[in-house]
């Protein structure tokens, strides 16, 4: 699978090793940008670049989660919704009263745990299991 398809396509399946390697590549890219940008740019430009790349990284992470959810035997929408449940509460926090903060943190934490266990630790679903009754076309026609 090409890197473009890996990070930008929501179709297909990926295994655990590919999921973790691609997620680590995105995280390391963000980390390196946050460390290097202040050395090369003004503080304002560095913050803007980090914010832009952080928002831009949601798309590849959603694509990875969608592919991994399909590999686990679920819907790609499940992976996309997990990424949204992790990110959206943090974006809503400044716009809601202080009383919502614990609820938003709980939602994001639960989504992180579900994503870690379901997408990051569980093995791929077995799609090639033999059928119990055998293939439908194997029966002899009646004479």
């Amino acid at each position: 699978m090409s890197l473009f398809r890996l990070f930008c396509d929501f179709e297909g399946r990926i295994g655990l090793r590919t999921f973790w390697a691609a997620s680590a590549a995105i995280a390391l890219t963000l980390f390196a940008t946050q460390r290097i940008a202040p050395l090369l740019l003004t503080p304002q430009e560095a913050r803007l670049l980090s914010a832009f790349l952080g928002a831009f990284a949601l798309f590849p992470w959603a694509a990875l989660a969608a592919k991994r959810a399909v590999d686990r035997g679920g819907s790609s929408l499940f992976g996309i919704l997990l990424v949204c449940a992790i990110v959206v509460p943090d974006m809503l926090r400044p716009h809601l009263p202080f009383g919502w903060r614990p609820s938003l943190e709980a939602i994001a934490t639960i989504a992180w745990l579900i994503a870690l266990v379901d997408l990051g630790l569980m093995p791929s679903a077995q799609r090639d299991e033999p059928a119990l009754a055998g293939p439908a076309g194997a029966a002899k026609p009646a004479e």
Side-chain angles (χ1 to χ4, degrees):
M1 177 178 294
S2 70
L3 287 178
F4 180 79
R5 241 187 111 216
L6 179 66
F7 291 118
C8 297
D9 191 9
F10 287 83
E11 301 292 324
R13 298 169 51 177
I14 56 173
L16 270 174
R17 186 174 299 147
T18 306
F19 175 75
W20 279 109
S23 295
I26 294 170
L28 288 174
T29 302
L30 290 174
F31 181 74
T33 302
Q34 289 173 350
R35 296 296 175 238
I36 294 172
L39 302 174
L40 303 175
L41 305 170
T42 65
Q44 172 76 13
E45 291 171 339
R47 281 193 303 272
L48 286 174
L49 179 64
S50 293
F52 173 76
L53 287 179
F56 184 75
L58 294 177
F59 187 82
W61 259 324
L64 292 173
K67 285 194 231 18
R68 182 67 186 134
V70 169
D71 188 54
R72 288 271 309 122
S75 168
S76 61
L77 186 60
F78 175 70
I80 296 167
L81 289 177
L82 271 177
V83 171
C84 290
I86 292 168
V87 174
V88 169
D90 194 41
M91 296 170 122
L92 290 176
R93 190 175 295 135
H95 305 292
L96 294 174
F98 182 75
W100 281 91
R101 187 178 192 127
S103 299
L104 294 174
E105 289 176 357
I107 290 169
T109 303
I110 291 169
W112 266 112
L113 290 173
I114 292 171
L116 173 68
V117 172
D118 191 38
L119 302 180
L121 298 177
M122 300 296 288
S124 299
Q126 298 295 330
R127 296 197 183 253
D128 299 325
E129 294 177 359
L132 294 176
K140 292 183 181 178
E143 295 180 20

